[in-house]
Amino acid sequence: MKQLCMGCMEPYDDRFDVCPHCGFVRGTPSAEAYHMDPGSVIHNRYLVGRVLGSGGFGITYLGYDMTLEKKVAVKEYFPVEFATRMQNQTMVTVFSGEKQEQFVSGMKKSLDEARRLAEFRQTPGITQIFDFFEENNTAYIVMELLEGETLKEKLKRD
């Protein structure tokens, strides 16, 4: 049987625990307790893999669209100063009071931005937005996965 690697989303024989494509070890937990576990499914459609990056307002995961059978990037709205997540859970817990108000406002802005960017489908130089939705007490944007060197890596190299 074949399985998808949570490190690169390439199929490989499920008899092996290490992906022959990227070396990801099956069952490797997330680096941070508040990250979703590789193998989580959101929106009954997107398989979540390893974390690609994170910042002040979100976490970007490697993902796989199980309907279209293609790799994607999944950006989760997750400002760590306003929310947390229990290990092995997908549901986000938002802090109360003013932090909750800021979280909700930021989540709305995130979804509005996704809606505006989605209007630029097929525009060269702009990442394509495939889907956006609310789930697990937060918001997600599913977008085109662009593989290669990051700007930070390029600047360091040059």
Side-chain angles (χ1 to χ4, degrees):
M1 294 282 295
K2 294 281 186 182
Q3 67 179 340
L4 282 178
C5 171
M6 296 298 105
C8 67
M9 292 300 173
E10 291 293 329
Y12 72 100
D13 193 312
D14 68 357
R15 293 178 297 166
F16 303 108
D17 288 331
V18 178
C19 175
H21 305 286
C22 71
F24 187 85
V25 178
R26 182 174 38 189
T28 299
S30 297
E32 299 289 343
Y34 59 85
H35 291 165
M36 281 192 288
D37 290 326
S40 298
V41 175
I42 56 173
H43 215 52
N44 293 320
R45 178 175 178 171
Y46 303 106
L47 181 63
V48 175
R50 69 180 173 86
V51 171
L52 297 175
S54 61
F57 290 98
I59 306 165
T60 303
Y61 301 90
L62 174 63
Y64 188 78
D65 183 330
M66 297 183 297
T67 301
L68 298 177
E69 298 182 344
K70 69 178 188 174
K71 295 179 193 183
V72 294
V74 177
K75 186 173 184 178
E76 178 181 44
Y77 178 70
F78 196 94
V80 293
E81 62 190 79
F82 304 139
T84 191
R85 172 186 286 121
M86 297 294 292
Q87 193 168 11
N88 303 318
Q89 300 291 315
T90 54
M91 187 64 68
V92 171
T93 301
V94 180
F95 302 144
S96 60
E98 187 178 315
K99 291 185 184 246
Q100 183 176 26
E101 292 172 24
Q102 291 174 315
F103 181 92
V104 171
S105 174
M107 185 170 75
K108 182 184 178 314
K109 288 177 185 174
S110 177
L111 290 172
D112 287 344
E113 177 185 340
R115 190 172 290 107
R116 284 191 303 277
L117 282 172
E119 294 175 11
F120 292 97
R121 284 189 176 97
Q122 308 302 323
T123 302
I126 297 179
T127 302
Q128 289 188 53
I129 304 296
F130 300 132
D131 198 0
F132 52 93
F133 53 91
E134 290 183 49
E135 188 171 282
N136 298 322
N137 224 15
T138 192
Y140 298 92
I141 302 172
V142 180
M143 61 187 85
E144 173 184 20
L145 176 67
L146 299 173
E147 298 183 86
E149 185 177 39
T150 66
L151 178 59
K152 183 177 180 179
E153 292 166 343
K154 181 173 176 48
L155 291 173
K156 185 183 285 187
R157 181 176 47 82
D158 292 342

